Amino acid sequence: MDLTSVYRFLEKPQSIDHEILRIRQKIAALRGCLLPQGIRYDLDKVQTSPEDRMSRINAEIADLNARIDALLDDKAEAVRRISLAIESLDDDRERNVLSLYYVGRKTMREIERELHYSKRWTIKLKRAGVTKLSQRVHLSAPSDVL
């Protein structure tokens, strides 16, 4: 497996988080559409169009919330697979750095402080761990995860 695929595999939870954020922003915008014009008391109680806008928007919000739930399940599975892949490495130092970075979502600076490593050593361990993961065959199984 090439390094690009490994990085895509390791960064899957973060890309899922970004997608969830976009969906939550869309939900907020849709809810904003409901607030000022949802119920009008100044008009006659005659339906002027066959479409119920509030119900349509609420249904779309419900669909988006279901999509978020599915993405959270995907994220949990991705984190599980990433953890298993990282645990398959032989070097404890590489495992620690990769686990803190990709599973624990810590910055390189936080990892350096926590493990008492220099910036250069932390980057070297991260790069070495990712390179070793790229040589593993079991990461390439389902292409939809990568």
Side-chain angles (χ1 to χ4, degrees), residues 26-37 61:
K26 186 174 182 179
I27 289 172
L30 287 171
R31 285 188 176 141
C33 293
L34 290 174
L35 294 176
Q37 302 154 345
I61 289 172

Side-chain angles (χ1 to χ4, degrees), residues 67-139:
R67 177 72 180 133
I68 288 174
D69 290 342
L71 285 169
L72 289 171
D73 290 342
D74 292 348
K75 180 182 173 183
E77 179 61 19
V79 168
R80 186 188 70 75
R81 291 196 60 209
I82 290 166
S83 296
L84 287 172
I86 291 171
E87 289 304 313
S88 72
L89 294 173
D90 297 329
D91 190 330
D92 281 343
R93 297 165 304 178
E94 292 169 359
R95 280 199 313 256
N96 289 338
V97 170
L98 291 181
S99 183
L100 288 170
Y101 189 77
Y102 290 108
V103 178
R105 306 286 297 272
K106 296 196 179 230
T107 65
M108 291 300 276
R109 188 85 160 128
E110 291 170 330
I111 295 169
E112 293 163 20
R113 286 186 197 136
E114 190 169 323
L115 298 178
H116 306 288
Y117 291 162
S118 69
K119 179 178 182 179
R120 189 176 192 158
W121 184 242
T122 305
I123 291 170
K124 183 177 180 175
L125 288 171
K126 180 179 172 258
R127 187 176 297 134
V130 171
T131 302
K132 287 178 184 173
L133 285 177
S134 72
Q135 298 164 356
R136 305 253 184 224
V137 177
H138 71 276
L139 291 182

Side-chain angles (χ1 to χ4, degrees), residues 38-88:
I39 301 174
R40 302 275 314 259
Y41 294 104
D42 59 337
L43 300 175
D44 291 333
K45 294 183 180 183
V46 177
Q47 184 175 354
T48 57
S49 73
E51 177 185 47
D52 182 6
R53 198 169 71 84
M54 286 180 64
S55 295
R56 181 179 49 80
I57 291 173
N58 279 327
E60 189 172 349
I61 289 172
D63 290 344
L64 291 171
N65 280 322
R67 177 72 180 133
I68 288 174
D69 290 342
L71 285 169
L72 289 171
D73 290 342
D74 292 348
K75 180 182 173 183
E77 179 61 19
V79 168
R80 186 188 70 75
R81 291 196 60 209
I82 290 166
S83 296
L84 287 172
I86 291 171
E87 289 304 313
S88 72

